[in-house]
Amino acid sequence: MKPPNLIILVLFYSRHGATRQLAELIAQGVESVPGCDARLRTVPAVSTVAEATAPEVPAHGAPYVELEDLQQCAGLALGSPTRFGNMAAAMKYFWDGTASDWLAGSLAGKPACVFTSTGSLHGGQEATLLSMMIPLFHHGMLVMGLPYTHPELMTTTTGGSPYGATHWSGIDGDKAISEDEKRLALALGRRLAGNAVKLAES
C-alpha cells in the first residue's frame, strides 16, 4: 500500500496579494516533488481595536492556520510582507501562540524556508527573512535557503536572496513577479519538499 503524501505547510500573510502569489509559486514547487502535497494556510489580521475579531473562516483564499497544521506537516514554508524589516504583526501574533508546540517539539527536525515581499527594492527583505527564521530555530526546525547553484541569484534585478524567495512588488503593489523571482520561488518549494522526503526516508 502506498504511504500517504507528505504535507508541506505553506503558511503566509498577505495584505495586497504579492506574498500570496509567492506562496502559490512555492506550493507549485512543492507539488512538483513526487510524494508531497502543499497545504496553503494564512493568519487573520491583527486589529488595533481589542474587541475586533476576525471571522472564523476567511471570505476568500486560503483557510486560517490551526496548530494541528504544524503538527501534521513534514515541512514548512513561512511567508510575510516586510514591516520595517520584520514580519507582519499578524504572523508574529500567531507564532507567539505556539508555546504548546514548542514544548512538545512538534516542529523539531522538520525542514523550513522563508519568503517575503516588499514595496521598495531595498525595503528590508533580508532582515525580514532573518526575523522569520528566529522562531523556527527556537522550534528546532532545519532552516534552509537558496544556494548559488541557482544562477538567478546573480542575475536578478528584482527580488531574490540566498536567505529565501522574495518579490519587489512596487510602492503601489503593481509590479508583476519577475521571471527570476518566479524561478527562485519554484526552486525553493522543490528544495523544501525534496529535503522533507529525504528526512522522511532516513
Side-chain angles (χ1 to χ4, degrees), residues 16-22 25 116-122 125 156-159 166-179 181-182:
H16 304 293
T19 310
R20 174 184 53 78
Q21 291 177 58
L22 273 182
L25 286 167
T116 191
S117 61
T118 55
S120 60
L121 183 55
H122 302 289
Q125 288 187 350
T156 181
T157 57
T158 53
T166 68
H167 168 52
W168 173 30
S169 64
I171 195 68
D172 296 317
D174 57 354
K175 289 187 178 295
I177 291 182
S178 71
E179 284 303 309
E181 291 171 339
K182 180 178 180 179

Side-chain angles (χ1 to χ4, degrees), residues 121-167:
L121 183 55
H122 302 289
Q125 288 187 350
E126 292 188 339
T128 301
L129 296 176
L130 291 168
S131 80
M132 286 193 290
M133 291 179 187
I134 294 171
L136 305 185
F137 282 128
H138 277 264
H139 274 275
M141 301 199 81
L142 308 175
V143 181
M144 64 186 63
L146 284 163
Y148 275 91
T149 51
H150 298 287
E152 295 84 2
L153 287 176
M154 295 295 289
T155 60
T156 181
T157 57
T158 53
S161 165
Y163 305 138
T166 68
H167 168 52

Side-chain angles (χ1 to χ4, degrees), residues 17-178:
T19 310
R20 174 184 53 78
Q21 291 177 58
L22 273 182
E24 290 168 350
L25 286 167
I26 289 169
Q28 285 180 40
V30 165
E31 296 199 333
S32 72
V33 176
C36 291
D37 290 329
R39 179 182 290 178
L40 283 162
R41 293 291 185 268
T42 190
V43 294
V46 172
S47 172
T48 56
V49 180
E51 291 79 16
T53 57
E56 290 187 10
V57 179
H60 54 80
Y64 292 137
V65 68
E66 298 178 356
L67 293 181
E68 289 79 7
D69 292 312
L70 299 181
Q71 297 152 16
Q72 295 169 3
C73 76
L76 168 69
L78 180 64
S80 169
T82 291
R83 294 291 183 265
F84 302 106
N86 208 326
M87 73 179 91
M91 187 59 74
K92 178 67 165 58
Y93 183 81
F94 169 76
W95 284 102
D96 285 349
T98 61
S100 60
D101 284 284
W102 171 67
L103 288 168
S106 301
L107 292 170
K110 296 178 181 181
C113 65
V114 290
F115 59 99
T116 191
S117 61
T118 55
S120 60
L121 183 55
H122 302 289
Q125 288 187 350
E126 292 188 339
T128 301
L129 296 176
L130 291 168
S131 80
M132 286 193 290
M133 291 179 187
I134 294 171
L136 305 185
F137 282 128
H138 277 264
H139 274 275
M141 301 199 81
L142 308 175
V143 181
M144 64 186 63
L146 284 163
Y148 275 91
T149 51
H150 298 287
E152 295 84 2
L153 287 176
M154 295 295 289
T155 60
T156 181
T157 57
T158 53
S161 165
Y163 305 138
T166 68
H167 168 52
W168 173 30
S169 64
I171 195 68
D172 296 317
D174 57 354
K175 289 187 178 295
I177 291 182
S178 71

